[in-house]
Amino acid sequence: MTASTLAEAPLPENLYGVIGWPLGQSLSPLVHNTGFRALGIPAVYLRWEIPPERLDVFLEAVRLLDIRGCSVTIPHKQAVMPFLDVVSEAATLAGAANTLFWKEDALCGDNTDVAGFLAPLESVPLERMDALLLGAGGAAHAVAAALRLRGCRQVRVCTPGNKRHLSLAERFGFTPVAWEERYAAPAGLVINATPLGMHGKHEGETPYDFALAPRVAGGIAYDIVYNPAETRFLREARAAGRRCIDGVAMFFGQADAQFRIWTGRRLPEAAREALVTALKAR
């Protein structure tokens, strides 16, 4: 993709889109375009599959063509950082940007996965709660940044391979634990940031057996997997008496935070309904 190829077709006044490689069946265009239509905003949100070796050219096109904003997904969240003029605290802490926007003449980056994760926890006193974070990938880093920014009392982190979580724990000042020891201490908030439970080959799996875990009054189980919305992890957590938060809440929360950055307005309920309907159809 080059600036010239983007310019071959007429562009709307307010152009947004998602970049990744590959993009697969991204739901971001559905959510944001539904929001634009429902609110009467003259804008369009497109899909741009950008291979890693063409990311620099695409970002030149963003500047040249005045593209107003982008969602950024795998594998570009970290790679975009050096190309930006300003990077938010959340993106710096997470080490990745999933949202590009303009502030005057500066191309800026933020990480709304952080805000999206925290949205359903707004009334939860994390400063008085211990958390267990399962996983250490890119999404887990956004979760870690969110927990750090909210001052979660203590965070333990582990991964099935007993390796990837060590650098994450060191970076954020969390406590690394062996995968086999994940049930040893009670956790008020247990977060699944692994692929286990995701639609596909891992759908029937879970990273945590709540029957083996100490019971915690007012405990919460949070699965950032959003397809399916009801994972085995959440079903078993609910049976164990935990309050459950699904990945749809985080996905919509991060999209809503992007939409507010770009437009100053919240995503309407029609956008959430479109998202839920699309997920049920899969």
Side-chain angles (χ1 to χ4, degrees):
M1 165 112 23
T2 66
S4 61
T5 56
L6 268 176
E8 288 175 359
L11 298 176
E13 180 179 350
N14 295 300
L15 182 62
Y16 301 86
V18 56
I19 63 171
W21 183 263
L23 277 176
Q25 296 180 341
S26 173
L27 292 171
S28 294
L30 171 68
V31 171
H32 288 293
N33 283 322
T34 300
F36 291 145
R37 286 194 299 269
L39 296 176
I41 296 174
V44 66
Y45 184 105
L46 304 176
R47 294 162 44 93
W48 293 307
E49 289 197 314
I50 309 298
E53 66 272 16
R54 304 298 290 170
L55 180 62
D56 58 341
V57 177
F58 177 81
L59 291 172
E60 289 178 11
V62 170
R63 294 179 183 273
L64 177 64
L65 301 174
D66 196 28
I67 293 172
R68 301 314 302 160
C70 291
S71 305
V72 185
T73 189
I74 296 171
H76 301 317
K77 290 185 179 184
Q78 293 176 318
V80 298
M81 300 277 276
F83 297 96
L84 304 177
D85 303 320
V86 179
V87 178
S88 72
E89 179 186 10
T92 300
L93 191 57
N98 79 325
T99 307
L100 307 185
F101 63 100
W102 290 96
K103 187 172 183 180
E104 297 179 347
D105 293 330
L107 183 59
C108 306
D110 200 351
N111 192 313
T112 65
D113 287 332
V114 174
F117 174 79
L118 289 174
L121 296 172
E122 186 175 358
S123 62
V124 176
L126 291 178
E127 68 280 0
R128 301 198 301 271
M129 183 173 285
D130 295 340
L132 174 64
L133 174 58
L134 306 166
H141 277 72
V143 171
L147 295 173
R148 177 77 173 273
L149 289 171
R150 275 287 302 274
C152 189
R153 183 171 63 187
Q154 182 186 43
V155 181
R156 295 181 300 127
V157 58
C158 58
T159 51
N162 283 327
K163 291 182 180 179
R164 294 187 65 194
H165 66 294
L166 298 177
S167 60
L168 183 150
E170 182 178 4
R171 176 177 180 178
F172 290 96
F174 296 164
T175 302
V177 297
W179 186 251
E180 297 76 15
E181 301 297 323
R182 62 195 186 279
Y183 305 113
L189 173 62
V190 180
I191 306 142
N192 176 30
T194 76
L196 298 179
M198 188 180 297
H199 178 69
K201 65 179 181 179
H202 298 299
E203 188 165 349
E205 301 178 47
T206 178
Y208 199 77
D209 186 346
F210 286 92
L212 301 178
R215 284 192 171 267
V216 178
I220 300 171
Y222 196 143
D223 199 337
I224 70 170
V225 170
Y226 63 85
N227 186 22
E230 174 88 337
T231 59
R232 177 182 168 187
F233 174 85
L234 291 181
R235 285 195 302 272
E236 294 180 357
R238 186 173 290 108
R242 293 233 172 196
R243 172 191 166 193
C244 292
I245 302 173
D246 61 43
V248 176
M250 178 174 174
F251 182 88
F252 188 81
Q254 63 83 26
D256 179 60
Q258 288 181 332
F259 200 80
R260 282 185 283 129
I261 287 172
W262 295 332
T263 70
R265 303 178 70 176
R266 303 295 299 262
L267 273 171
E269 187 59 30
R272 184 190 295 272
E273 292 172 357
L275 173 63
V276 172
T277 299
L279 287 172
K280 287 181 178 178
R282 288 190 167 187

